[in-house]
Amino acid sequence: MRHLLEAAHLSREEIRSIFDTARAFGPKIRNDESIPLLQGKAIVNLFYENSTRTRSSFEVAIRKLGGVAMNFAASTSSAAKGETLIDTARNLEAMRPHAIVVRHASAGSPYFLTKYVSVPVINAGDGFHEHPTQGLLDALTIEEKLGTLEGKRVVILGDIAHSRVARSNIHILKKLGASVAVCAPPTLLPPKPETLGVDYAYRPEELLPDADVVMALRIQLERQNRMQIPSIREYSAFWGMNQARAALLKPGCIILHPGPINRGVELDTELADGPRSVILDQVANGVLIRMAVLAKLVVPEATAEWLKKNGGNRA
Ligand code: CP
């Protein structure tokens, strides 16, 4: 891997290798031991859209690997004075960082950046295209909780049409052997949902009884020109995960949400904070996945060597 731009590009082997690295880092991180693979390295966090989890967990990941995070927020930078993405990236690259993590509202912008900078680029979310590290951390969390993804049924419920999380998840979950179904009102599904390579339904009740995993997604109002549902209240009544719908689930079924949650809209508080929820495990695994991706892209040989010494299966 030279960059991480989209989950669609990742092979099953590459996904497994990232998981093995993340799992090998886990015990050290839980014991507060250092893994100084990025000592002396600087990583740019170039965020043109708001973020709580992704930006913070990349920053924590960089620090836990001994590196320095150079944080950039568009709202407090010269982007607010009209500087372009390319000029910004080239100026930051002149400061000699070792990788650039980028979130941008335009689909394809991380790929575009690779044409102008020479360091590895990691996609932290581009428009409604992809969010590959989110897909990886979600799949790792499901494997951790259910043992395997092979043969598991994952139902993704919410605004599929505008969700980069759904796209990255679909690619990764299918490669790891899960069967995926999506559910939303027709206006929040892509025009031809079957082109995603998944099953789909308009009503959650059709899919929930067979689910091993339910992933609830937020309505991405920031990516819609106009509201595509009659009202939030109606959406919540017909598509929200609530106690009545949770009663349809199998006993071991787990609930994920990438955050931020709009409580009472796509997911009720009793479920978000209840025993089926693995939402905070997703956040914890986000640090490990981002550490693994950074280490493998920035210092691949040193990472392979570290894994050999510390029990990772694959370099
Ligand atoms: N899941 C996710 O991308 O959250 P943030 O927008 O807070 O980074």
Side-chain angles (χ1 to χ4, degrees):
M1 289 197 311
R2 170 98 181 94
H3 308 284
L4 178 57
L5 302 178
E6 49 187 304
H9 287 165
L10 289 174
S11 67
R12 183 184 162 99
E13 269 304 299
E14 284 169 328
I15 296 168
R16 285 265 156 252
S17 169
I18 293 169
F19 284 10
D20 286 345
T21 308
R23 287 188 178 117
F25 287 162
K28 301 250 178 226
I29 293 309
R30 285 188 279 277
N31 284 337
D32 267 342
E33 288 174 46
S34 66
I35 306 174
L37 285 167
L38 289 187
Q39 204 138 44
K41 311 281 184 206
I43 313 295
V44 172
N45 273 330
L46 185 58
F47 275 64
Y48 282 83
E49 283 190 321
N50 294 344
S51 170
T52 295
R53 281 146 291 273
T54 312
R55 199 176 92 161
S56 311
S57 71
F58 267 111
E59 186 173 344
V60 171
I62 294 162
R63 287 168 191 267
K64 286 191 184 288
L65 289 169
V68 174
M70 294 164 62
N71 289 321
F72 167 101
S75 56
T76 55
S77 75
S78 289
K81 302 176 202 162
E83 192 165 29
T84 64
L85 170 64
I86 298 307
D87 280 339
T88 304
R90 292 176 85 168
N91 277 269
L92 291 170
E93 198 195 24
M95 300 176 203
R96 302 250 168 265
H98 297 85
I100 297 178
V101 177
V102 61
R103 169 171 287 192
H104 200 281
S106 298
S109 42
Y111 172 77
F112 187 56
L113 264 195
T114 63
K115 306 290 164 206
Y116 293 89
V117 299
S118 57
V119 294
V121 174
I122 300 170
N123 180 2
D126 61 330
F128 51 75
H129 175 225
E130 278 230 29
H131 191 351
T133 56
Q134 182 72 44
L136 288 165
L137 74 89
D138 290 340
L140 183 73
T141 305
I142 297 169
E143 280 202 349
E144 187 179 279
K145 297 295 167 188
L146 303 185
T148 179
L149 270 158
E150 208 68 54
K152 300 297 182 198
R153 181 68 156 171
V154 181
V155 173
I156 307 179
L157 173 60
D159 181 0
I160 309 298
H162 305 96
S163 175
R164 54 196 179 201
V165 172
R167 278 170 185 72
S168 290
N169 261 288
I170 288 168
H171 288 301
I172 292 169
L173 296 172
K174 286 178 60 191
K175 282 173 189 167
L176 297 182
S179 81
V180 182
V182 298
C183 180
T187 49
L188 294 181
L189 282 174
K192 292 189 175 175
E194 62 278 10
T195 58
L196 295 172
V198 298
D199 304 318
Y200 68 97
Y202 299 129
R203 295 307 318 274
E205 288 73 11
E206 290 178 37
L207 298 173
L208 293 178
D210 292 326
D212 297 295
V213 177
V214 175
M215 185 179 297
L217 298 179
R218 182 175 68 86
I219 303 174
Q220 308 261 309
L221 291 173
E222 71 273 28
R223 300 192 206 292
Q224 301 178 22
N225 297 332
R226 58 193 162 82
M227 185 92 149
Q228 306 206 337
I229 46 172
S231 72
I232 294 290
R233 200 166 146 178
E234 186 172 313
Y235 177 85
S236 170
F238 288 94
W239 287 277
M241 269 311 288
N242 54 27
Q243 294 280 33
R245 293 205 172 93
L248 301 173
L249 299 174
K250 296 191 277 196
C253 178
I254 56 174
I255 295 177
L256 282 78
H257 193 302
I261 304 170
N262 288 137
R263 289 175 181 254
V265 179
E266 73 273 9
L267 185 60
D268 277 8
T269 283
E270 296 75 22
L271 300 176
D273 301 334
R276 292 183 186 275
S277 170
V278 298
I279 293 169
L280 295 180
D281 300 283
Q282 292 173 262
V283 178
N285 283 332
V287 173
L288 299 179
I289 283 291
R290 284 157 185 145
M291 287 176 71
V293 168
L294 285 162
K296 289 172 78 64
L297 286 177
V298 178
V299 285
E301 289 87 10
T303 304
E305 204 52 43
W306 188 93
L307 287 170
K308 258 189 231 158
K309 283 195 195 130
N310 290 276
N313 297 336
R314 296 159 207 239

